[in-house]
């Protein structure tokens, strides 16, 4: 597409931007299409869900499918589980990454370099490679099939630590030195001078954590065996598995319900999310 | 783990998990230094202890487990290299490595190509609001869950009543068995994965393009470079550090693909879309063969390290820093 646009730009200057924008519009529609289809199908009656051509605006809008979701799975319980897990991990990561990032950026101590190297190296280790031993560690702690078993291992974040270190490194050193001359101890310098300035960086860590763990599937699939500990993605996939055909709109209504918080975070946290991704090329 | 290992060089070093933390200060250290070190210990403890318990120990654990037969119920028995021998002769495992490599090459190539094209296009002249609409649209699938998106895609790609085949029917193309034929299934998994993931590289490229000083392009235009030539000879070399990051992250993520094949095809038809991570999941948590699963995990780890190392090697020749 860009090649066509570019060759156009050589001949007709006024046409090129239009062709480019038209191409981008088509791509944007392709990108958003499945999501639009999901929302519109979830608003159709289960009987009309198979209709082709799919009408983007449902002919007879109905919330029947949404009622179906609430009948078939305990949406409130799943949402509560997901919220608890995601919120605690996000807060936990903001705390651990904020503290460790500050230590690596602004405190002097022995073994700083090797320890930071260790943190960076773990960014390279895929979760799937360690999942069997992690499962056994959690089992020995009695944490399999509990929400805590999902939460605790997710507290340390190598990427978040790296990000916060960069963030603190970007702050002027003079601030801390001035506070030190005024008689502030190391804790006061952190608490009163640097920590308040770190809020935007912490927001990036929190939003990234929320996005990742709200949607997380692999760990919950392995760790949570009883239905009352399921999170939303697990519940949805089981919703699809338990039902035969004819209930697409119910499944899609479930998908829409689970998307709402993610979309809300996208709207509110778009900037921090984008910055988080752009800033280093996240290894999630 | 290491309580017995007294460190003779630093008499008051702590046992290993917190040995990660700094040792107590020498007697002559000032009160301030002591304060700083104490603070550093406290600040690092949660992260370092967590990383040791949930990453470092499990890596070692994986290697050890891969040398044992174990089904969780009976006592583990030493197996030596048996698990590895088994893995190298098990056709499902071998096929899964092949699938994963094919998936990686095609998915990453497609993802980078789409992302780069769109980033260049979005970077062109247009109203600011329009640019941010496009940027948000391409980035949106990233915030959705791969598992539930795959559920959606399973309906869209259904051979009989899916929207995709209906659309193709409009232009006279016969229905494609997207998820049920061996050849098409892998292509579908790749499409779904790329659809959700390309926004990631797209954002990296948009950031990278913004970092290229405008004057360089202007100078190139003055020298007579236009269109594609300008992009190939000027933009791409300047973007090469971003390309490296995007491909390294893209490859590491692609080698770990799980949700899409698990939900869309459950590895089938046959083993056509079974990936390495699916094999790890199935052998450990469905068949309770923890030793086999660990051996496959160790091999995946080695593969990731090898691919990344090769990439950095190659990049020395192709990546230009300003």
């Amino acid at each position: 597409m860009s090649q066509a646009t570019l060759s156009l730009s050589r001949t007709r200057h006024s046409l090129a931007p239009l062709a480019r924008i038209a191409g981008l519009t088509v791509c944007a529609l392709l990108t958003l299409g499945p999501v639009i289809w999901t929302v519109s199908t979830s608003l159709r009656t289960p009987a009309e869900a198979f209709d082709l051509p799919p009408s983007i605006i449902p002919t007879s809008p109905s919330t029947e499918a949404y009622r179906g979701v609430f009948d078939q799975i305990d949406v409130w319980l799943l949402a509560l589980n997901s919220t608890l897990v995601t919120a605690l991990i996000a807060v936990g990561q903001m705390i651990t990454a904020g503290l460790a990032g500050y230590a690596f950026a602004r405190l002097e101590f022995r073994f700083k370099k090797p320890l930071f190297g260790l943190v960076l190296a773990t960014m390279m280790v895929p979760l799937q490679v360690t999942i069997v031993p992690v499962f056994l560690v959690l089992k020995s702690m009695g944490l399999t099939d509990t929400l805590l078993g999902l939460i605790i291992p997710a507290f340390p974040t190598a990427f978040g630590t790296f990000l916060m270190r960069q963030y603190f490194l970007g702050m002027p050193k003079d601030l801390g030195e001035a506070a030190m001359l005024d008689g502030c101890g190391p804790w006061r310098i952190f608490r009163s001078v640097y920590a308040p300035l770190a809020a935007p960086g912490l927001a990036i860590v929190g939003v990234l954590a929320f996005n990742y763990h709200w949607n997380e599937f692999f760990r919950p699939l392995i760790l949570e065996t009883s239905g009352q500990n399921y999170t939303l993605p697990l519940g949805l996939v089981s919703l699809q598995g338990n039902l035969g055909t004819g209930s697409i709109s119910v499944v899609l209504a479930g998908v829409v319900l689970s998307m709402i918080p993610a979309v809300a975070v996208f709207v509110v946290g778009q900037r921090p999310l984008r910055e988080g991704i752009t800033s280093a090329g996240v290894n999630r | 783990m290491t309580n017995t290992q007294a460190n003779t060089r630093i008499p008051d070093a702590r046992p290993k998990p917190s040995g990660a933390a700094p040792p107590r200060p020498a007697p002559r250290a000032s009160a301030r230094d002591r304060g700083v070190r104490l603070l550093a210990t406290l600040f690092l403890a949660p992260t370092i202890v967590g990383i040791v318990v949930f990453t470092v120990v499990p890596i070692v654990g994986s290697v050890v487990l891969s040398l044992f037969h174990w089904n969780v119920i009976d006592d583990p028995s030493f197996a030596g290299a048996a698990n590895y021998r088994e893995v190298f002769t098990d056709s499902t495992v071998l096929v899964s490595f092949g699938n994963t490599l094919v998936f990686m090459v095609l998915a990453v190539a497609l993802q980078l190509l789409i992302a780069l094209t769109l980033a260049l296009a979005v970077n062109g002249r247009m109203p600011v609001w329009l640019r941010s609409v496009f940027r948000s649209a391409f980035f949106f699938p990233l915030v959705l869950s791969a598992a539930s998106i795959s559920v959606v895609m399973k309906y869209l790609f259904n051979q009989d009543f899916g929207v995709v085949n209906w659309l193709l029917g409009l232009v006279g193309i016969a229905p494609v068995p997207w998820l049920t034929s061996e050849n098409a299934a892998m292509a579908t998994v790749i499409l779904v994965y790329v659809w959700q993931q390309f926004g990631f590289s797209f954002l990296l490229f948009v950031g990278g393009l913004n970092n290229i000083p405008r004057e360089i392009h202007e100078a190139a235009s003055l020298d007579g470079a236009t269109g594609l030539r300008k992009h190939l000879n000027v933009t791409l070399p300047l973007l090469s550090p971003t390309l490296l990051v995007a491909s390294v992250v893209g490859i590491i993520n692609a080698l770990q693909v799980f949700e899409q094949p698990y939900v869309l095809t459950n590895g089938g038809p046959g083993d056509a879309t079974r990936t390495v991570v699916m094999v790890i999941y199935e052998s450990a948590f469905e068949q309770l063969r923890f030793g086999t699963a660990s051996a496959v995990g160790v091999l995946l780890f080695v593969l990731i390290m090898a691919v990344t190392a090769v990439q950095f090697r190659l990049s020395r020749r192709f990546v230009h820093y300003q």
Side-chain angles (χ1 to χ4, degrees):
Chain A
M1 182 205 65
S2 90
Q3 196 168 349
T5 327
L6 291 168
S7 60
L8 268 176
S9 74
R10 241 170 285 167
T11 49
R12 293 278 307 267
H13 256 272
S14 54
L15 255 182
L18 273 183
R20 183 161 43 76
I21 288 171
L24 281 168
T25 309
V26 171
C27 292
L29 284 176
L30 280 176
T31 309
L32 295 180
V35 181
I36 297 168
W37 177 80
T38 305
V39 174
S40 104
T41 307
S42 75
L43 290 170
R44 279 178 238 159
T45 59
E48 285 175 18
F50 289 98
D51 283 2
L52 288 173
S55 43
I56 295 298
I57 314 236
T59 39
S60 48
S62 146
T63 54
E64 198 184 323
Y66 287 86
R67 261 172 284 140
V69 181
F70 282 87
D71 287 345
Q72 278 157 26
I73 53 174
D74 193 342
V75 179
W76 294 116
L77 180 73
L78 298 181
L80 179 70
N81 286 346
S82 274
T83 308
L84 262 179
V85 169
T86 313
L88 286 175
I89 292 177
V91 172
Q93 286 199 357
M94 285 159 78
I95 294 172
T96 59
L99 296 179
Y102 181 76
F104 282 126
R106 284 282 177 261
L107 299 178
E108 287 311 319
F109 53 92
R110 222 184 295 206
F111 305 129
K112 184 160 147 176
K113 270 202 176 145
L115 282 178
F116 189 60
L118 174 77
V119 171
L120 282 189
T122 59
M123 280 207 308
M124 289 278 297
V125 183
L127 168 74
Q128 291 86 353
V129 170
T130 53
I131 189 68
V132 172
V134 165
F135 176 81
L136 297 173
V137 169
L138 289 172
K139 202 172 152 76
S140 72
M141 293 174 166
L143 290 178
T144 43
D145 201 17
T146 66
L147 294 180
L148 265 185
L150 276 180
I151 296 168
I152 291 174
F155 277 157
T157 157
F159 178 71
T161 304
F162 175 72
L163 202 118
M164 289 314 296
R165 172 180 173 269
Q166 299 302 101
Y167 210 84
F168 282 115
L169 281 178
M171 293 178 191
K173 255 188 165 159
D174 325 6
L175 291 177
E177 278 158 11
M180 197 168 85
L181 291 177
D182 286 346
C184 281
W187 165 252
R188 269 296 298 280
I189 296 177
F190 169 73
R191 180 66 201 87
S192 312
V193 180
Y194 286 113
L197 292 173
L202 291 173
I204 297 181
V205 174
V207 170
L208 280 175
F210 187 96
N211 182 242
Y212 180 76
H213 290 284
W214 182 266
N215 294 328
E216 196 177 10
F217 184 71
F218 189 69
R219 287 195 315 137
L221 177 69
I222 284 164
L223 288 173
E224 309 303 338
T225 42
S226 40
Q228 87 246 19
N229 290 327
Y230 275 17
T231 52
L232 273 168
L234 273 187
L236 285 178
V237 171
S238 74
L239 181 69
Q240 174 230 14
N242 295 339
L243 302 168
T245 45
S247 47
I248 301 187
S249 53
V250 176
V251 178
L252 294 184
V255 170
V256 172
L257 287 176
S258 80
M259 268 170 17
I260 292 171
V263 174
V265 167
F266 172 76
V267 172
V268 179
Q270 205 191 137
R271 242 191 59 167
L273 247 178
R274 234 177 24 223
E275 281 166 7
I277 290 170
T278 325
S279 62
V282 193
N283 177 18
R284 294 188 291 176
Chain B
M1 180 174 75
T2 53
N3 288 350
T4 51
Q5 290 181 356
N7 188 329
T8 45
R9 209 157 46 85
I10 308 159
D12 52 358
R14 312 223 178 133
K16 225 175 199 160
S18 51
R24 277 183 228 136
R28 233 177 286 164
S30 70
R32 171 165 293 277
D33 285 348
R34 266 203 303 280
V36 168
R37 284 176 194 181
L38 179 67
L39 203 66
T41 311
L42 291 175
F43 278 18
L44 285 178
T47 296
I48 300 295
V49 170
I51 280 177
V52 168
V53 173
F54 292 110
T55 307
V56 178
V57 170
I59 291 176
V60 179
S62 267
V63 176
V64 173
L65 263 178
S66 73
L67 302 174
F68 284 83
H69 288 306
W70 196 34
N71 60 5
V72 197
I73 301 147
D74 305 318
D75 286 336
S77 64
F78 186 72
N83 287 324
Y84 290 93
R85 265 202 303 278
E86 185 195 324
V87 163
F88 278 110
T89 50
D90 183 326
S91 63
T92 301
V93 178
L94 292 179
V95 166
S96 79
F97 270 94
N99 287 342
T100 304
L101 285 174
V102 168
F103 175 87
M104 174 197 91
V105 171
L106 294 178
V108 173
L110 197 60
Q111 177 184 342
L112 294 184
L113 191 71
I114 294 176
L116 185 59
T117 310
L118 292 178
L120 284 172
V122 164
N123 216 38
R125 197 168 297 178
M126 72 178 76
V128 174
W129 67 267
L130 193 59
R131 177 171 303 150
S132 65
V133 166
F134 284 137
R135 227 169 34 181
S136 306
F138 297 143
F139 151 53
F140 184 72
L142 272 182
V143 305
L144 304 176
S145 122
S148 42
I149 263 323
S150 302
V151 170
V152 171
M153 293 292 193
K154 206 171 162 179
Y155 294 128
L156 288 175
F157 281 103
N158 183 286
Q159 184 176 357
D160 302 317
F161 57 83
V163 175
V164 175
N165 273 348
W166 171 75
L167 280 172
L168 291 179
L170 292 183
V171 288
I173 298 175
V176 177
W178 292 106
L179 296 166
T180 44
S181 92
E182 294 216 351
N183 291 329
M186 180 55 97
T188 311
V189 170
I190 291 173
L191 279 179
V192 172
Y193 178 88
V194 169
W195 173 81
Q196 185 171 29
Q197 287 283 318
F198 80 89
F200 186 87
S201 329
F202 169 79
L203 284 183
L204 292 182
F205 290 144
V206 168
L209 286 172
N210 283 338
N211 281 341
I212 298 176
R214 212 155 264 286
E215 304 87 65
I216 295 188
H217 272 151
E218 282 160 11
S221 303
L222 285 179
D223 288 344
T226 51
L228 196 57
R229 167 155 288 265
K230 190 162 85 178
H231 283 311
L232 282 181
N233 293 350
V234 182
T235 314
L236 274 189
L238 289 171
L239 203 60
S240 53
T242 314
L243 269 167
L244 176 67
V245 173
S247 58
V248 167
V249 176
I251 284 180
I252 292 178
N253 285 341
L255 288 173
Q256 299 169 44
V257 60
F258 175 76
E259 277 94 340
Q260 289 85 356
Y262 179 81
V263 175
L264 282 169
T265 58
N266 199 20
D271 285 333
T273 55
R274 205 169 304 281
T275 64
V276 176
V277 172
M278 282 191 71
V279 169
I280 296 178
Y281 169 76
E282 287 164 353
S283 45
F285 301 102
E286 284 177 356
Q287 303 155 3
L288 297 182
R289 289 153 65 208
F290 279 66
T292 317
S294 299
V296 177
V298 169
L299 290 176
L300 175 65
F301 190 43
V302 171
L303 178 68
I304 290 180
M305 290 297 151
V307 171
T308 315
V310 167
Q311 245 185 322
F312 276 103
R313 255 273 139 83
L314 285 176
S315 73
R316 272 188 223 153
R317 287 180 48 201
F318 300 113
V319 173
H320 305 260
Y321 293 95
Q322 289 178 39

